[in-house]
Amino acid sequence: MVMNPEASGAATFQVSADAYDRHIGRYSADLARALVGTVRPSPGDRAIDVGCGPGGLTAELVRRLGADHVAAVDPSPPFARACAERLPGVDVRVAAAEDLPFADAAMDHAFSQLAVNFMTDAPAGVEEMRRVIRGGGSVAAAVWDYAGEMTLLRAFWDAATTLDPRASDADEGRLMGWCAPDPLRSLWEGAGLEDVRVAPVVVTAAYAGFADLWSGLRGGVGPAGAYVAALEPTSAAALEADLRRRLGVGDDPFRLPARAWVALGRVPL
Ligand SMILES: C[S@@+](CC[C@H](N)C(=O)[O-])C[C@H]1O[C@@H](n2cnc3c(N)ncnc32)[C@H](O)[C@@H]1O
């Protein structure tokens, strides 16, 4: 399956890193710990983060391997810039998964967190991830369970679609091709990876209150943020109220759980 970047929302990441941090970036560090923990790279290994954003996963790789053993790419210039500023010493480049600017077998592990569904051509992107990894190395990615237990985005699109059925055209649970175990397994095996496993991971994000959550959605980030940004004020207010009611949260601090699927495969020797 080849995603159209406009349909998948890749263009909605040409935003500031701060805006990203207030929205999905809240989940990045916990998810990165889980994703990298699945692979358990050894000291001395080299790793690449594909679709690095402002660097949530890159930071976890730096913590484990050291900046000089980590590369990162993202097609969004503001995100690549933020990643480079936050993590000095990392080889950060503006590039897409489908055309990685690295030699064959240049590294030991490729990671991609929450980016596979935004690739213009995910099969080509995963094949590129395999190409730059040596035989015996690994290719791993995490994607949200958009149609199921990614609480924030599921509640958001359910609220939006109830208020305006046309919102289902933008519902990530419908739009994203790679957010369930079987398609992910096919994607990994189709890229020539072996011993493929897909498993769930649940992480949580902290919010100071509903206003904190809504301010993240108002930043225009990702498909949900872009949807809010395009609404008239009265429609946005109705969506805000419905989302708050669905989540059952108020002005006190709370945490929301989010399930991701982690796909992992080994590069043949
Ligand atoms: C939800 S963000 C995830 C960012 C970061 N990995 C994280 O976990 O916080 C999705 C990222 O995919 C990037 N992206 C979009 N199209 C891409 C492509 N073709 N190849 C690689 N990354 C892409 C976006 O620019 C954005 O940074």
Side-chain angles (χ1 to χ4, degrees):
M1 184 181 312
V2 176
M3 289 296 299
N4 168 346
E6 283 176 28
S8 74
T12 63
F13 295 107
Q14 306 286 333
V15 295
S16 76
D18 287 348
Y20 183 77
D21 292 345
R22 286 200 305 280
H23 182 35
I24 293 300
R26 292 174 198 258
Y27 297 83
S28 294
D30 273 9
L31 188 55
R33 267 192 295 279
L35 175 57
V36 180
T38 305
V39 173
R40 287 187 289 156
S42 305
D45 285 354
R46 294 188 56 80
I48 180 168
D49 178 0
V50 176
C52 61
L57 167 65
T58 322
E60 177 64 14
L61 293 173
V62 168
R63 195 179 69 75
R64 287 184 176 242
L65 303 175
D68 57 344
H69 282 65
V70 177
V73 299
D74 198 289
S76 161
F79 280 3
R81 195 164 46 243
C83 184
E85 284 169 5
R86 290 176 178 185
L87 298 161
V90 173
D91 179 0
V92 183
R93 306 190 195 182
V94 176
E98 295 85 348
D99 189 14
L100 294 175
F102 295 95
D104 293 359
M107 284 168 271
D108 302 287
H109 307 285
F111 293 90
S112 184
Q113 178 164 291
L114 307 178
V116 167
N117 283 289
F118 297 102
M119 293 177 188
T120 309
D121 183 342
V126 179
E127 276 184 35
E128 271 290 271
M129 290 169 71
R130 177 185 56 72
R131 179 186 66 76
V132 300
I133 300 306
R134 64 160 171 85
S138 68
V139 174
V143 298
W144 288 134
D145 177 16
Y146 292 102
E149 296 179 34
M150 196 312 175
T151 307
L152 169 64
L153 294 176
R154 191 63 263 135
F156 176 87
W157 289 115
D158 287 347
T161 306
T162 301
L163 294 170
D164 181 354
R166 289 171 300 180
S168 70
D169 292 344
D171 178 347
E172 292 163 272
R174 289 186 58 240
L175 216 57
M176 299 309 196
W178 315 105
C179 57
D182 285 348
L184 281 169
R185 194 171 295 109
S186 302
L187 182 62
W188 253 236
E189 288 174 351
L193 293 156
E194 297 180 340
D195 299 333
V196 175
R197 285 180 281 143
V198 180
V201 162
V202 177
V203 294
T204 62
Y207 295 91
F210 182 78
D212 185 25
L213 179 150
W214 186 249
S215 80
L217 279 161
R218 288 183 63 93
V221 181
Y227 183 83
V228 172
L231 290 176
E232 298 295 329
T234 48
S235 302
L239 178 55
E240 179 182 3
D242 196 70
L243 178 60
R244 181 177 176 130
R245 182 188 60 73
R246 278 172 196 272
L247 291 173
V249 298
D251 297 334
D252 293 332
F254 60 89
R255 299 187 74 90
L256 288 184
R259 181 164 75 174
W261 296 108
V262 168
L264 170 64
R266 191 165 47 80
V267 177
L269 287 168

